[in-house]
Amino acid sequence: MVDLIIAGGHAVIGDEVVQADIAVDAGRIVAVGALTGLPGARKVIDAEGLHVLPGAIDCHVHFRDPGSTYKENWRTGSSAAAAGGVTTVMDMPNTDPPTANPEALARKRERAAALSLVDWGLYGVLDSSSLPHLEALAGEGIAGFKCFMTENTGDLESPDDGVVYEGLERLARLGVRCSVHAENAAIMQHRRRQFIEAGRTDARAHEESRPEVCEIEAIGRVTALAQAARASVHIAHVSSAGGVQAIRHALAQGVDMTAETCPHYLLFGLPEIDSLSGMVRVNPPIRGGAHADALWAALLDGTIGMIATDHAPHTEEEKRNPDIWQCCRGMIGLETQMPVMLTESQRGRMSLPEYVRWSALAPARAWGLYPRKGHIGVGADADFAIVDMDGAYRIDQSALHSLNRISPWHGRFVTARPVHTLVRGNVVMWDRRVVGEPGWGRGIAPDWGRRSHG
Ligand code: DOR
Ligand code: ZN
């Protein structure tokens, strides 16, 4: 007798989609196969006609808690995750206080442990304020580090190259990967000053103020530092064709690196900048066109291993202002990633196993969570998104679970969406209703010895 059997669904297992029953006991997968061979269960979920995917692992979210809980908090952010089929989130350190020392980490951990419906990991920041604390933070089970090479929400320091290099040397010894917001600060500040002086306030001025060379130069610089320091790095939210080329170049040099891109870089472009304006203001900027094509190609050939959302909530007032420079940067995305990307899969852009590789397997590998998470296999955590691939819906931002629901995906037509979400065998969304308990989510413990390319 086991706790649970998920019966009759089409499961994504490795490179295949197969009809399989999945037995779960004590939060882990104990058997995968035909029901006749599986033990009896206390509970059965009928997944006939549905697809069973490993829950998504989103290695880039901003839950703003503690510090800016008027934008988001651990309960609302993790509810959005549950509703989006996301079973593990990794939260960025640009909160208040910034996650720069063990006290700040403990404070955030308290919030996450009390409020999260899904499993969670926490980043520490890499800057001059955290340099004295890197070893202590790593000893406290940090999920990874984050280095902002340019401005950010929360106005954390962009450390100079000396700090970055020392930090990477020490993180290399600790074996912890560092995520990097790779944009050259000086070029964009110079351009922005010129545009503001010229009186520009239009939405395209933001994108034009941060040309792709900002990303190319920053990826080149940080990967050179990482190579010299023998550190492992992760390039967050890759946005440009030149950025992809810079990653290819660094990979060819043998740099230990992974990279992510986000749905908004893949699917939005100049038309959305013109129509949605501040709602799609984000750093790095959306570029669309040939850049989006290059990002898709990079996902398909493995240069970029994964997708993340960079879920970055702000209030509606903060996102809507006729002056683009006054609009906060970033947008929510946790709850829309899976419907939007699965719809692209149904359009033939990628296979379901490719989607699972980008959304679950690669992040699990990059962040030391595999084989505990990121796949459907015996011994793995029973984290699932059970998905209806047979519908037709319009995304309605009023039905989202984030504290601030303004979404550039509002009104978008999608043909798939998660209907049930399970975290370690426990249902946190049932039939589109979030039913999870705050505090069910657990801190993840990365196994840095197993990390590998995403
Ligand atoms: O636009 C952004 N917003 N980009 C980032 O990298 C950070 C994020 C935020 O925290 O709001
Ligand atoms: Zn971010």
Side-chain angles (χ1 to χ4, degrees):
M1 186 69 98
V2 296
D3 289 340
L4 168 70
I5 286 178
I6 300 168
H10 281 80
V12 181
I13 300 174
D15 286 335
E16 289 183 277
V17 183
V18 289
Q19 192 157 24
D21 307 311
I22 301 166
V24 173
D25 203 50
R28 303 249 198 149
I29 299 170
V30 293
V32 181
L35 192 57
T36 47
L38 293 178
R42 278 178 274 280
K43 173 179 169 141
V44 175
I45 292 177
D46 178 6
E48 193 97 23
L50 300 173
H51 282 72
V52 185
L53 277 50
I57 297 172
D58 193 334
C59 71
H60 192 156
V61 308
H62 298 266
F63 280 179
R64 317 291 195 203
D65 184 358
S68 300
T69 47
Y70 71 96
K71 293 183 194 259
E72 191 74 289
N73 63 59
W74 273 96
R75 187 183 58 74
T76 52
S78 68
S79 297
V86 178
T87 52
T88 302
V89 293
M90 292 172 60
D91 184 59
M92 287 296 170
N94 56 329
T95 42
D96 187 11
T99 318
N101 56 56
E103 295 71 45
L105 176 65
R107 213 171 130 195
K108 186 181 278 192
R109 183 178 279 142
E110 238 171 66
R111 300 288 296 165
L115 295 176
S116 188
L117 282 68
V118 303
D119 286 353
W120 44 271
L122 306 179
Y123 285 95
V125 71
L126 169 55
D127 65 10
S128 64
S129 75
S130 71
L131 266 192
H133 308 293
L134 297 183
E135 288 75 16
L137 283 165
E140 300 276 338
I142 207 94
F145 279 83
K146 172 72 178 280
C147 173
F148 293 94
M149 294 173 81
T150 188
E151 58 174 20
N152 52 78
T153 300
D155 296 327
L156 269 56
E157 163 197 325
S158 299
D160 65 35
D161 294 342
V163 170
V164 176
Y165 187 53
E166 181 190 336
L168 290 178
E169 280 185 305
R170 286 171 45 203
L171 293 186
R173 283 198 284 278
L174 295 165
V176 182
R177 189 180 294 275
C178 189
S179 176
V180 182
H181 182 138
E183 274 190 294
N184 177 300
I187 295 173
M188 75 81 182
Q189 281 161 2
H190 182 81
R191 286 218 163 184
R192 183 170 61 198
R193 213 176 306 121
Q194 286 177 330
F195 287 163
I196 289 173
E197 275 167 19
R200 282 191 68 177
T201 56
D202 59 296
R204 288 200 191 190
H206 173 65
E207 185 258 330
E208 289 169 29
S209 72
R210 309 172 88 103
E212 72 171 328
V213 69
C214 292
E215 189 166 83
I216 296 168
E217 187 279 333
I219 292 174
R221 177 158 38 110
V222 80
T223 52
L225 298 178
Q227 185 172 28
R230 299 178 177 280
S232 41
V233 288
H234 173 82
I235 307 300
H237 44 49
V238 181
S239 68
S240 68
V244 169
Q245 280 305 344
I247 292 169
R248 287 209 178 98
H249 177 75
L251 284 169
Q253 306 298 309
V255 178
D256 177 358
M257 69 186 300
T258 55
E260 83 198 22
T261 189
C262 314
H264 44 270
Y265 300 115
L266 294 165
L267 295 167
F268 289 158
L270 295 182
E272 283 75 19
I273 293 178
D274 291 341
S275 62
L276 297 170
S277 186
M279 279 171 64
V280 292
R281 184 182 189 210
V282 61
N283 293 339
I286 287 162
R287 305 172 201 276
H291 296 286
D293 294 343
L295 295 169
W296 277 108
L299 279 168
L300 288 164
D301 75 15
T303 305
I304 295 176
M306 70 193 82
I307 50 172
T309 65
D310 193 6
H311 181 82
H314 300 284
T315 67
E316 180 151 2
E317 301 75 67
E318 288 173 332
K319 289 302 291 171
R320 281 195 204 277
N321 192 305
D323 179 351
I324 194 66
W325 311 114
Q326 301 304 319
C327 295
C328 282
R329 292 147 299 203
M331 65 197 89
I332 58 172
L334 257 174
E335 206 168 333
T336 46
Q337 177 272 113
M338 194 173 284
V340 162
M341 292 299 286
L342 287 176
T343 300
E344 295 306 305
S345 170
Q346 288 176 312
R347 288 191 181 137
R349 257 189 143 146
M350 73 290 206
S351 69
L352 268 185
E354 280 170 326
Y355 169 73
V356 164
R357 199 156 74 222
W358 305 344
S359 62
L361 182 62
R365 283 186 191 275
W367 297 104
L369 307 177
Y370 182 84
R372 181 80 190 253
K373 291 191 182 291
H375 67 121
I376 295 177
V378 171
D381 281 350
D383 297 342
F384 304 111
I386 303 181
V387 171
D388 176 9
M389 303 277 291
D390 214 11
Y393 322 93
R394 259 180 214 290
I395 291 174
D396 174 4
Q397 66 184 15
S398 71
L400 299 177
H401 292 76
S402 273
L403 187 59
N404 289 287
R405 300 172 182 183
I406 180 169
S407 165
W409 303 100
H410 179 67
R412 192 177 178 92
F413 183 72
V414 293
T415 52
R417 61 180 179 180
V419 288
H420 314 307
T421 305
L422 281 76
V423 175
R424 283 174 287 103
N426 189 38
V427 175
V428 295
M429 175 171 74
W430 182 253
D431 203 12
R432 299 289 315 143
R433 282 192 44 243
V434 172
V435 298
E437 289 289 321
W440 173 255
R442 271 199 212 148
I444 53 170
D447 179 355
W448 288 110
R450 286 185 199 274
R451 78 203 146 76
S452 62
H453 289 284

